[in-house]
Amino acid sequence: MSTPLEKWVEESARLTQPDKIVWCDGSEEENSRFLAGLMHDGIITELNETTYPRCYLNRRNPNDVARTESVTFICTSKKDDAGPTNNWMSPADGKARVRPILEDSMKGRTMFVAPYILGPQNSPYSRVGVEITDSRYVVASMRIMSRMGKAAMDRIGNSDNFVPGLHALAGVNPERRFVMHFPEEKLIWSVGSGYGGNALLGKKCFALRIASWMARSEGWMAEHMLILGLEDPSGKVTYMAAAFPSACGKTNLAMMVSALESQGYRVWTVGDDIAWMHIGADGTLRAINPENGFFGVAPGTNAQTNPNVMAALRHDTIFTNVAISGAREPWWEGIGTPPPPGLIDWKGEPWSPEKGPAAHPNSRYTVPARQSPSISAHWEDPEGVPISAIIFGGRRERLAPLVYESRSWQHGVFVGATMASETTAATTGAVGVPRRDPMAMIPFCGYNMADYFQHWLEMGPKIKHPPKIFHVNWFRKDASGKFLWPGYGENVRVLKWMLDRIEGRAAATETPIGFVPAPGSLTLDGLAISRPVVDELQRVDAHDWSAEAEATAKFFEIFGDRLPAEIRSENKALQDRLHRTTVAAK
Ligand code: O2Y
Ligand code: MN
């Protein structure tokens, strides 16, 4: 009698016709064998074994260098269940589209069956997935990013309690590239890409899109959030989860070296990208990091912006699409050193300045989380860490103050639902345009976001000790275009204010959008920042915010009647408060 897993593997093999099937156990020995095979086939090259031991470079097909949202689909029976922010196909159409691409796609190739656990091995909140793939690079990456191998297989046993994900390179053809999610049967099919979020199915596909669907029906939350612990001088650690859209420094914040370390404030990393949050027996919201590694963007990462990750990636790391020096060391723009001699660019060609960036702007490192000096002693706690603050944020040059606290859980959900970030030169299209990205989940919510807001609204009252909800903006600029706030390690000052609010120690001033730090309540000692700059950082302009409230009302129209009434009424209440301020100022 075959187990459900064996049946699915047999069925997938009938469809894709591999020459060979390899069941992965996740062992060191197996990993060494896979890495040797990848080197033999020229898919990875070993970096300098003295300065970067057991590190490798993978160069991807230039047509396959980032997640592709345009080919990412949520396949639900009813279109409305996927909602207006997702690409949709019916499950039957989704399968009909991809099945012919999967058919015989592994002929002459090896099929790898990689079982993995998302979350700490012995946590009741962890979940199991199995990725079938014909890419050893994917297996090697999944081994870093998840707990891959025997422990996952043991957890599955004879059960059907796993999320199946079938991935095939299928010629890495952008014309035949699809990332299909079937949340009703908790299934993932991905073809035509071997890169990152498209191919490492445990990450965005399972840990966010499928998990967000599961979380709603099971009463928990799967969020695009970092998790950090802020240690105070007494040694007490307060945990916070934060959601920012891409290019807002989530990994850097999660791994920050605190500017207040001499005062006893330190930041510990639990996770840099995804948080699964359950209501614990003690009535707190408890978060686990479903991942086991960091898949961070390399350009801009250096000893100033993220010293912890720079230390982490000195060994046992897979680099993708970075440049390498003549000494076979990785290099990228913004690493903090000039282009070294003999630089080879991400395409494998000798680099010269007129060729543009040597590393691809979306080049990455894949590194085990435990290698970071900042990793929290509690990052694998089975019960997770208790979350006292949820932080939303975005990149707003003029509008949002450095930090504000929401008025209530419901208002905090509204703050998250109205998140937006201005586009940068790193994104395509016009620069400086606010892009709506509620809770940073637009690309990752596996169902209708109006229902997702409803789920958030319903979670709050169920949490006995709900976290406070804040909003931050590190990116406010002055009239000459200069950033007002130094950012990076200095952001700990804002985290400290939040901690002081949680502990009832810091004063705040009420504004129409929420509570900002009262004069003197932000710890600014040792920082060269003038009073007018601090005032400007905290300024709330009622006219600008009224325009913002109108823009968000327009955005919410896409959800029609499905938008929860509470979200609509929060926007109305904000507009009323802004109106009263404007009238009072006249
Ligand atoms: O382009 C990709 O496949 C990577 S995208 C990514 C990687 C790590 C963490 N977050 C993200 C994201 O897009 O949010
Ligand atoms: Mn992310």
Side-chain angles (χ1 to χ4, degrees):
M1 251 309 256
S2 306
T3 65
L5 175 55
E6 286 164 347
K7 269 195 210 136
W8 173 64
V9 171
E10 284 156 20
E11 196 184 291
S12 303
R14 261 196 308 280
L15 181 62
T16 58
Q17 292 294 314
D19 277 14
K20 203 166 123 190
I21 301 178
V22 171
W23 290 73
C24 304
D25 62 16
S27 63
E28 280 294 343
E29 183 277 315
E30 176 189 83
N31 189 45
S32 305
R33 205 160 17 92
F34 288 172
L35 293 171
L38 284 163
M39 279 191 283
H40 176 266
D41 295 348
I43 294 168
I44 59 171
T45 44
E46 195 169 8
L47 298 182
N48 187 314
E49 43 285 282
T50 308
T51 52
Y52 284 85
R54 297 173 304 285
C55 290
Y56 303 88
L57 167 67
N58 169 252
R59 291 195 188 102
R60 300 232 56 84
N61 187 323
N63 80 30
D64 187 29
V65 292
R67 266 186 317 106
T68 3
E69 287 173 23
S70 58
V71 298
T72 300
F73 285 80
I74 301 294
C75 303
T76 45
S77 312
K78 292 191 204 131
K79 188 167 194 255
D80 266 0
D81 288 344
T85 60
N86 280 313
N87 298 318
W88 174 83
M89 266 189 225
S90 73
D93 286 353
K95 286 184 182 168
R97 191 73 157 262
V98 172
R99 191 174 286 109
I101 304 171
L102 282 168
E103 252 162 11
D104 297 344
S105 62
M106 297 191 192
K107 244 187 187 149
R109 302 180 60 78
T110 299
M111 168 189 275
F112 299 93
V113 182
Y116 60 92
I117 301 175
L118 291 182
Q121 199 172 310
N122 50 357
S123 169
Y125 304 137
S126 297
R127 294 286 185 275
V128 186
V130 181
E131 175 156 359
I132 290 179
T133 176
D134 58 348
S135 161
R136 266 178 309 200
Y137 161 79
V138 165
V139 178
S141 302
M142 282 294 286
R143 186 173 181 270
I144 296 176
M145 293 306 296
S146 68
R147 280 101 178 155
M148 194 273 279
K150 187 176 174 311
M153 194 66 96
D154 291 347
R155 217 165 140 146
I156 296 170
N158 293 335
S159 78
D160 62 356
N161 199 1
F162 63 93
V163 169
L166 175 55
H167 167 252
L169 291 173
V172 189
N173 178 352
E175 305 299 318
R176 288 154 59 87
R177 181 170 296 158
F178 291 98
V179 185
M180 298 296 196
H181 304 75
F182 305 93
E184 287 152 350
E185 53 181 308
K186 301 184 185 67
L187 169 71
I188 306 157
W189 276 8
S190 167
V191 289
S193 164
Y195 188 72
N198 290 341
L200 311 184
L201 302 186
K203 193 169 176 58
K204 304 297 189 180
C205 300
F206 179 177
L208 285 174
R209 298 194 191 96
I210 297 291
S212 61
W213 179 286
M214 292 163 80
R216 179 183 47 152
S217 60
E218 297 168 11
W220 51 283
M221 305 167 89
E223 299 301 329
H224 189 201
M225 288 182 175
L226 66 87
I227 311 163
L228 63 79
L230 177 62
E231 182 176 333
D232 74 8
S234 76
K236 182 178 166 199
V237 181
T238 299
Y239 294 93
M240 307 178 176
F244 305 139
S246 310
C248 290
K250 226 160 89 209
T251 301
N252 293 345
L253 184 69
M255 302 177 83
M256 173 213 293
V257 172
S258 153
L260 296 179
E261 214 164 284
S262 61
Q263 293 186 31
Y265 291 91
R266 233 190 125 138
V267 170
W268 297 104
T269 311
V270 177
D272 80 325
D273 195 39
I274 300 175
W276 283 0
M277 302 193 287
H278 291 74
I279 302 173
D282 61 356
T284 61
L285 191 61
R286 306 204 69 103
I288 60 165
N289 172 8
E291 301 193 278
N292 189 49
F294 306 127
F295 183 60
V297 72
T301 306
N302 61 51
Q304 268 67 51
T305 58
N306 196 335
N308 281 316
V309 93
M310 290 302 284
L313 50 73
R314 290 307 291 244
H315 62 99
D316 298 282
T317 298
I318 299 176
F319 294 89
T320 303
N321 289 345
V322 300
I324 51 167
S325 69
R328 295 195 347 273
E329 294 188 340
W331 190 89
W332 48 80
E333 280 67 26
I335 197 172
T337 53
L343 192 63
I344 304 292
D345 72 12
W346 68 277
K347 290 182 180 160
E349 290 161 10
W351 179 80
S352 52
E354 70 281 359
K355 285 189 165 173
H360 188 276
N362 193 34
S363 54
R364 300 268 162 177
Y365 50 79
T366 311
V367 60
R370 64 173 178 278
Q371 289 182 197
S372 175
S374 63
I375 199 73
S376 161
H378 298 282
W379 84 285
E380 297 193 283
D381 277 7
E383 292 302 321
V385 294
I387 297 296
S388 301
I390 287 176
I391 308 168
F392 295 121
R395 178 184 284 271
R396 304 306 297 261
E397 285 192 9
R398 307 262 172 255
L399 184 79
L402 178 64
V403 56
Y404 64 98
E405 180 188 325
S406 66
R407 303 162 66 88
S408 63
W409 178 271
Q410 178 173 303
H411 178 235
V413 175
F414 169 76
V415 169
T418 53
M419 254 172 73
S421 203
E422 284 148 11
T423 49
T424 65
T427 43
T428 45
V431 173
V433 178
R435 229 185 228 174
R436 303 278 141 199
D437 192 358
M439 283 87 167
M441 281 290 277
I442 281 268
F444 306 120
C445 188
Y447 61 100
N448 190 319
M449 280 204 106
D451 301 346
Y452 170 80
F453 300 150
Q454 185 64 44
H455 179 49
W456 264 83
L457 290 166
E458 285 169 15
M459 284 297 290
K462 293 184 192 156
I463 310 167
K464 197 157 138 212
H465 309 291
K468 277 183 176 289
I469 301 181
F470 298 90
H471 185 281
V472 297
N473 174 26
W474 318 129
F475 302 97
R476 201 157 186 174
K477 288 185 174 172
D478 67 14
S480 69
K482 195 170 151 276
F483 285 114
L484 292 166
W485 181 249
Y488 302 109
E490 305 294 349
N491 292 338
V492 73
R493 298 170 190 274
V494 175
L495 302 184
K496 178 179 177 295
W497 182 77
M498 294 175 189
L499 169 63
D500 289 342
R501 290 294 293 164
I502 292 161
E503 299 287 343
R505 291 191 291 251
T509 305
E510 187 172 358
T511 77
I513 62 166
F515 298 93
V516 299
S521 69
L522 263 181
T523 302
L524 295 173
D525 40 311
L527 188 63
I529 191 164
S530 67
R531 187 73 246 169
V533 168
V534 176
D535 291 346
E536 177 60 15
L537 273 165
Q538 289 304 131
R539 193 168 56 83
V540 175
D541 184 301
H543 287 285
D544 290 352
W545 275 97
S546 294
E548 177 74 1
E550 271 174 42
T552 44
K554 187 132 197 57
F555 167 65
F556 284 146
E557 280 173 15
I558 62 170
F559 298 108
D561 291 346
R562 211 142 161 163
L563 186 77
E566 292 89 336
I567 298 293
R568 224 182 283 278
S569 69
E570 282 293 341
N571 205 19
K572 170 82 175 54
L574 170 63
Q575 285 171 319
D576 290 348
R577 289 193 300 271
L578 289 164
H579 181 69
R580 282 198 297 274
T581 313
T582 320
V583 169
K586 276 187 183 153

